[in-house]
Amino acid sequence: MTDPPAKTPDRRPGGRTARIRAQVLDAVRAELAEGGHEGLTMEGVAARAGVHRTTVYRRWRDVGGLLVDVIAAAGETDWQPPDTGSLLGDLTALNQEIQQSLTAQPSFAVALMAASFHSEQAARAQTKLWADRYAQCEILVDRAVERGELPSRHTDARSLLIAATAPLYHQLVLLRADPDPRLPERSAAAALLAAGAGAFTVRPHESG
Amino acid sequence: MTDPPAKTPDRRPGGRTARIRAQVLDAVRAELAEGGHEGLTMEGVAARAGVHRTTVYRRWRDVGGLLVDVIAAAGETDWQPPDTGSLLGDLTALNQEIQQSLTAQPSFAVALMAASFHSEQAARAQTKLWADRYAQCEILVDRAVERGELPSRHTDARSLLIAATAPLYHQLVLLRADPDPRLPERSAAAALLAAGAGAFTVRPHESG
């Protein structure tokens, strides 16, 4: 986020500062989903949040500041990767979550992606959020190795996760295909078959 | 040379109309690559192309019209999918081409993608171009089946092609990873291993 505010606001958790941030970020999400980032203005956010616009300017400075904070807030939720008992189940559940977020009408996730093409600040924040999420998901692969579902400890978890999830972004966001209810499981299963055949095996000196 | 009358432009191939289109589309590509679609203006394109701006307005109407035509022009080039003698070689070559286009500085391909988030016209044109390119690439899979590299004629070529190429878009465009010279071949090899394990096999009644 931007510089700390000049006037020493109330920073108690759940206090006025936190409440205003929640109101403003809710408004950003709603405005983004409705009008995309091109429709996002400081005035529109302030009006929807019911917060004085000088407060919004002072704390977030500009639209880029709002985008960065809304992405940061997404990273603060205690999101947990799925734990279904099998890697196929986990990756399918993950893909279902992705498909849902990308096909929601309107989609906050797609609006953020669009914004990241135009705001360097937003792009950096989004890249960090995704890196964190993929890192959190590596436990899916660790658990699968422990259960004996994958051939070796030398599986590049990140490559496997990207192989499983990338086709959803590609089909739904870039190719704008209609959502296919079978895609989450099919894409997960294809990545697993590739992993089983050694596609993501790294030689020991390459890992870690 | 005298200008043709306003209402009946010279439409001979290679004539004035074609020459002006080439100049204008070259200018659009250069402006897009330098400033993204947000920096694209009718005036900027006209100035760079050395074409009167009333001509640009009359023939392309607005920035959306320019975007659609530059995408249409990309579809008119006689692009041919690679033919290296093996499916791994073909998919690797295809991925190298994709990686090159996405990591060029500045990248016309990424600028077009960004534009398609904001122009419904551009998005439709781009979706059609990509659908055509994937359809053109299905011959890679047909040839591999003929050579006995794939287990059956019931391979869903499009799913295989998307599995092979999607990680490049995901890594380079959405996750903004540094280009990895091994990624084109690795991603191709992973998709092939999945295909070999039956990941993209469709039951006969599902295929075309």
Side-chain angles (χ1 to χ4, degrees):
Chain A
M1 223 183 79
T2 52
D3 291 340
K7 299 292 178 195
T8 67
D10 182 354
R11 289 202 169 278
R12 287 171 303 177
R16 186 165 175 274
T17 297
R19 203 177 58 242
I20 288 179
R21 180 176 182 233
Q23 284 168 240
V24 167
L25 296 189
D26 279 348
V28 172
R29 281 183 279 264
E31 294 274 303
L32 265 182
E34 278 179 18
H37 97 278
E38 285 181 335
L40 197 67
T41 63
M42 301 296 272
E43 284 74 14
V45 167
R48 188 188 277 256
V51 169
H52 202 282
R53 69 195 191 92
T54 55
T55 305
V56 180
Y57 275 103
R58 192 173 64 239
R59 291 183 48 185
W60 287 274
R61 208 164 48 96
D62 57 22
V63 165
L66 288 173
L67 285 170
V68 168
D69 203 28
V70 84
I71 296 168
E76 289 160 17
T77 64
D78 56 350
W79 181 83
Q80 290 293 327
D83 188 5
T84 65
S86 76
L87 186 52
L88 178 61
D90 288 352
L91 293 174
T92 301
L94 184 64
N95 277 348
Q96 280 163 342
E97 202 177 312
I98 291 170
Q99 173 145 297
Q100 212 157 26
S101 77
L102 296 178
T103 57
Q105 292 295 337
S107 167
F108 168 63
V110 172
L112 269 192
M113 253 179 262
S116 76
F117 276 100
H118 297 284
S119 158
E120 181 57 30
Q121 275 180 291
R124 268 199 305 269
Q126 183 171 269
T127 300
K128 185 186 173 306
L129 173 62
W130 280 5
D132 291 349
R133 286 284 161 93
Y134 278 110
Q136 274 182 281
C137 285
E138 292 190 4
I139 195 172
L140 270 49
V141 177
D142 294 341
R143 283 195 218 120
V145 170
E146 276 163 32
R147 284 188 299 251
E149 293 180 67
L150 285 176
S152 98
R153 291 205 166 267
H154 302 298
T155 296
D156 178 359
R158 190 181 152 91
S159 294
L160 193 169
L161 292 165
I162 286 175
T165 56
L168 277 93
Y169 292 97
H170 200 65
Q171 292 266 24
L172 297 170
V173 182
L174 300 181
L175 303 182
R176 308 208 311 169
D178 292 327
D180 173 353
R182 300 163 304 185
L183 184 60
E185 182 173 358
R186 285 192 174 176
S187 187
L192 261 187
L193 285 170
F200 310 112
T201 305
V202 287
R203 284 178 293 272
H205 72 269
E206 284 184 304
S207 67
Chain B
M1 166 184 160
T2 55
D3 282 346
K7 298 293 170 198
T8 55
D10 181 353
R11 294 203 168 275
R12 287 170 303 175
R16 186 166 177 271
T17 297
R19 203 177 60 243
I20 287 180
R21 180 176 182 232
Q23 283 167 243
V24 167
L25 295 189
D26 279 348
V28 172
R29 280 183 280 263
E31 294 273 304
L32 266 182
E34 278 180 18
H37 96 279
E38 283 181 337
L40 197 66
T41 63
M42 301 296 273
E43 284 73 15
V45 167
R48 186 188 278 256
V51 168
H52 202 283
R53 70 196 191 92
T54 54
T55 305
V56 179
Y57 276 103
R58 193 173 62 238
R59 290 181 48 185
W60 286 274
R61 209 164 49 96
D62 56 22
V63 166
L66 288 172
L67 286 170
V68 167
D69 203 29
V70 84
I71 297 168
E76 289 161 15
T77 63
D78 55 352
W79 182 84
Q80 290 293 326
D83 188 5
T84 65
S86 77
L87 186 52
L88 179 61
D90 287 352
L91 293 175
T92 301
L94 183 64
N95 277 349
Q96 280 164 341
E97 202 178 311
I98 291 169
Q99 174 145 295
Q100 213 157 25
S101 78
L102 296 178
T103 57
Q105 291 295 337
S107 168
F108 167 63
V110 172
L112 269 192
M113 253 179 263
S116 77
F117 276 101
H118 297 285
S119 158
E120 181 57 31
Q121 273 180 290
R124 268 200 305 269
Q126 183 172 269
T127 300
K128 184 186 174 306
L129 173 62
W130 280 5
D132 290 350
R133 285 283 161 93
Y134 277 110
Q136 273 182 282
C137 285
E138 293 190 4
I139 195 171
L140 270 49
V141 178
D142 294 342
R143 283 194 218 120
V145 170
E146 275 163 33
R147 283 188 301 251
E149 291 180 68
L150 285 176
S152 95
R153 293 204 166 268
H154 302 298
T155 296
D156 178 358
R158 191 182 151 90
S159 294
L160 194 169
L161 292 165
I162 287 176
T165 56
L168 278 93
Y169 292 96
H170 201 65
Q171 292 267 25
L172 298 170
V173 182
L174 299 181
L175 304 181
R176 308 208 312 169
D178 292 329
D180 173 352
R182 298 163 307 183
L183 184 60
E185 182 172 357
R186 285 191 174 178
S187 188
L192 261 186
L193 285 170
F200 310 113
T201 305
V202 287
R203 284 179 291 273
H205 73 270
E206 283 185 304
S207 67

